[in-house]
Amino acid sequence: MTLETIDFAQLYRQHQALSTRTRKTASAWDARAPGMAAKALASGYAQDFVARMDLRGAQSLLDVGCGPGTIGLLLAAQLQQVVGLDYSAGMLAVLREQAAARGLQQVQTLQRAWEDDWSDVPECDLVVASRSTAVADIDMALHKLHAKARRRVYLTHLVGGHFTDPHIQDAIGRRVPPQPDYIYLLNILHRMGIHPELSYLTQVSRLAGAPDFAEFARRVAWSLGELNVVETTRLHDWYERASPAQRAGAPMRWAFISWEKTPC
């Protein structure tokens, strides 16, 4: 067996199918949209992401899985066109509100999912997919990102495959199979004739700073799914014994993957 004979796209799809984590519905993100904008735009993660981008020669940006505009709004003042693409109407509404409040008339939105027809999605100089690549078919997603970019692509993909620290999963007695790691993406890009650059971003755990157990349990349930009575009891018992650092869990790490646009 050689590297060239391994179908990493198929391996990714098989791995993703083994995961018990259910993709959040658009309505679930709609409900979270109003409270996410200010926090997301002020995050150290977003600032770090943008600082690693090369804007030379760029006038337009396509932000895929844009949410409330975490990346696109930070860059809009330096560009002539920013297109936010998301399957959540609520997130796009918040993006438009934030753009209007900042006087950014060059921002527009498109409601699309990864799986939808992208024939009307414009090509842009830069294409971004920040924390939005946990999809069923990453091969399809990477080809779409590459096709819509004129100059460069930037994305982040979770390192390690867990959105909730495995120690906390153990505490409630529910170990969730990991999501496919970023290494699949590198090998699929290699097959596409693309040699990307790789670095890492570190983000404070989503559980850090929860003011009380109710909020802590809500954040755990957002990642793992609804907790039953036994799991909630076990989590509460663990929470009472744990230190603030243990409650927060390990920081989240994201692989920052980028490449210059060249023909496949």
Side-chain angles (χ1 to χ4, degrees), residues 118-224:
W118 280 23
S119 58
D120 63 340
V121 176
E123 290 186 13
C124 291
D125 295 321
L126 307 176
V127 173
V128 163
S130 169
R131 299 180 296 193
S132 62
T133 57
V135 297
D137 187 348
I138 196 63
D139 183 55
M140 168 273 296
L142 292 173
H143 277 85
K144 282 189 168 182
L145 295 175
H146 189 73
K148 293 300 177 180
R150 294 195 191 97
R151 290 180 177 270
R152 303 174 196 99
V153 180
Y154 300 92
L155 66 83
T156 47
H157 193 87
L158 185 65
V159 174
H162 290 288
F163 288 91
T164 300
D165 192 317
H167 290 96
I168 298 173
Q169 297 177 38
D170 290 340
I172 68 171
R174 190 203 300 183
R175 178 57 77 93
V176 176
Q179 296 280 300
D181 211 345
Y182 71 95
I183 202 70
Y184 287 101
L185 282 68
L186 298 182
N187 283 291
I188 294 169
L189 289 169
H190 180 270
R191 178 63 62 86
M192 293 168 61
I194 296 169
H195 303 286
E197 294 186 4
L198 170 67
S199 58
Y200 299 93
L201 297 175
T202 300
Q203 178 186 13
V204 174
S205 163
R206 300 176 182 183
L207 301 178
D212 52 34
F213 175 73
E215 174 61 18
F216 184 85
R218 187 192 68 78
R219 295 184 188 185
V220 171
W222 172 259
S223 290
L224 297 183

Side-chain angles (χ1 to χ4, degrees), residues 104-125:
L104 299 171
Q105 298 180 359
Q106 66 273 50
V107 176
Q108 63 187 91
T109 60
L110 280 174
Q111 187 174 0
R112 298 287 185 279
W114 283 102
E115 301 79 14
D116 290 342
D117 177 10
W118 280 23
S119 58
D120 63 340
V121 176
E123 290 186 13
C124 291
D125 295 321

